[in-house]
Amino acid sequence: LLAEKVEQLMEWSSRRSVIRMNGDKFRRFVKAPPRNYSVVVMFTALQPQRQCSVCRQANEEYQVLANSWRYSSAFSNKLFFTIVDYDEGADVFQQLNMNSAPTFMHFPPKGKPKRADTFDLQRIGFAAEQLAKWIADRTDVHIRVFRPPNYSGTIALALLVSLVGGLLYLRRNNLEFIYNKTGWAMAALCVVFAMTSGQMWNHIRGPPYAHKNPQNGQV
C-alpha cells in the first residue's frame, strides 16, 4: 500500500509541482497511514467568488517554492507539495476546524502535526524563501528558491532612458531647462517623498498582508 501511494504521488508530481487534492485524496494520501514522506498542504480559497486576493498572492509564492523543489537535484519522494481548495475540499476544512485561508501545514511521516507544523503566516509572511526556511526546520529538506526572471524593471529603465534621451534630442537647441533650480528641487522632493513613504517601507521589509490582534484575535 505504501509503495502504491508513493508511486501515485510521484506520478502526480511529474505532471504538476503542486498536487491538487479533494477530501478523499487528502484522507488517503495525507492523513491515513502508512506514510514515510512529508506533505506540505496549502489550504486556500482561489475561486473568484471568494475574493481572496491574499490567497492568490500566497499561491504564486507557493508555486515558486514547489517548482524550485521539483526541478532541483535534491528532489526525492520524501516531500510533496499539495493544495486543498475550499470549494473542492470543504469537508477537510471542517475536519481540521479551519476557518481562515490561506494556511500552510506540514504533515510529518509519523504522528500528528504539532503546533510548529502550522506556518505562522501572520507574523512571517508568505514569501517562498520564508516557507523554504520553515520546511527546512520541520523536515531537514533544504530547498534553494529559484525565481523566474523578471524583466519588468529592466524594461521600465530602458523606457525611461529612451524617454529622457528623446526629450533631450528634441530640445537639443534649447537646453536651458536643465539648469532650472526649481525643476531639480521638485524632482528631489519627489524622490525624498517616495523613499520615505510607507510603500517603500513595505517593499523593503516585506511585512505580512494582515496581522492578528493578540488581545482579541481579530485580523
Side-chain angles (χ1 to χ4, degrees), residues 50-86:
R50 302 298 175 188
Q51 298 182 354
C52 182
S53 59
V54 185
C55 294
R56 291 191 292 272
Q57 297 173 22
N59 181 60
E60 292 176 359
E61 293 295 306
Y62 191 57
Q63 295 287 342
V64 168
L65 178 61
N67 285 327
S68 299
W69 167 243
R70 173 65 184 84
Y71 297 106
S72 71
S73 59
F75 175 73
S76 68
N77 57 8
K78 298 300 181 183
L79 175 65
F80 296 98
F81 289 87
T82 67
I83 187 171
V84 177
D85 193 282
Y86 180 80

Side-chain angles (χ1 to χ4, degrees), residues 9-212:
L9 287 170
M10 289 296 291
E11 180 183 347
W12 286 335
S13 294
S14 65
R15 301 175 187 173
R16 288 185 177 182
S17 300
V18 178
I19 303 170
R20 298 189 69 92
M21 288 194 167
N22 54 23
D24 293 337
K25 290 181 179 179
F26 175 82
R27 283 182 286 272
R28 179 185 176 190
F29 293 94
V30 180
K31 294 284 290 183
R35 197 174 69 247
N36 64 352
Y37 50 85
S38 294
V39 183
V40 178
V41 184
M42 176 184 179
F43 299 94
T44 187
L46 295 174
Q47 296 301 319
Q49 63 268 23
R50 302 298 175 188
Q51 298 182 354
C52 182
S53 59
V54 185
C55 294
R56 291 191 292 272
Q57 297 173 22
N59 181 60
E60 292 176 359
E61 293 295 306
Y62 191 57
Q63 295 287 342
V64 168
L65 178 61
N67 285 327
S68 299
W69 167 243
R70 173 65 184 84
Y71 297 106
S72 71
S73 59
F75 175 73
S76 68
N77 57 8
K78 298 300 181 183
L79 175 65
F80 296 98
F81 289 87
T82 67
I83 187 171
V84 177
D85 193 282
Y86 180 80
D87 291 281
E88 299 174 2
D91 53 335
V92 178
F93 279 73
Q94 296 174 0
Q95 180 183 352
L96 299 176
N97 295 322
M98 192 174 299
N99 54 12
S100 63
T103 300
F104 298 93
M105 287 187 65
H106 164 248
F107 291 83
K110 296 181 180 180
K112 295 182 179 180
K114 299 179 176 60
R115 183 175 183 180
D117 286 310
T118 300
F119 183 69
D120 192 352
L121 184 145
Q122 280 78 19
R123 183 175 64 87
I124 304 176
F126 47 73
E129 290 78 7
Q130 296 296 338
L131 287 168
K133 183 179 179 181
W134 168 67
I135 291 174
D137 292 337
R138 305 311 304 164
T139 65
D140 289 331
V141 174
H142 297 272
I143 303 174
R144 184 180 179 184
V145 176
F146 292 95
R147 293 184 176 275
N150 186 352
Y151 301 106
S152 59
T154 304
I155 294 175
L157 180 61
L159 290 175
L160 178 62
V161 172
S162 300
L163 180 63
V164 173
L167 179 62
L168 292 176
Y169 178 77
L170 293 175
R171 298 291 299 273
R172 60 187 181 276
N173 296 325
N174 183 13
L175 298 178
E176 294 180 0
F177 68 94
I178 294 180
Y179 305 99
N180 189 318
K181 293 183 179 180
T182 303
W184 283 111
M186 293 298 294
L189 281 175
C190 290
V191 172
V192 169
F193 288 144
M195 293 300 137
T196 57
S197 67
Q199 180 57 35
M200 182 56 65
W201 188 90
N202 288 339
H203 179 73
I204 295 173
R205 297 295 297 273
Y209 185 83
H211 191 74
K212 286 186 178 180

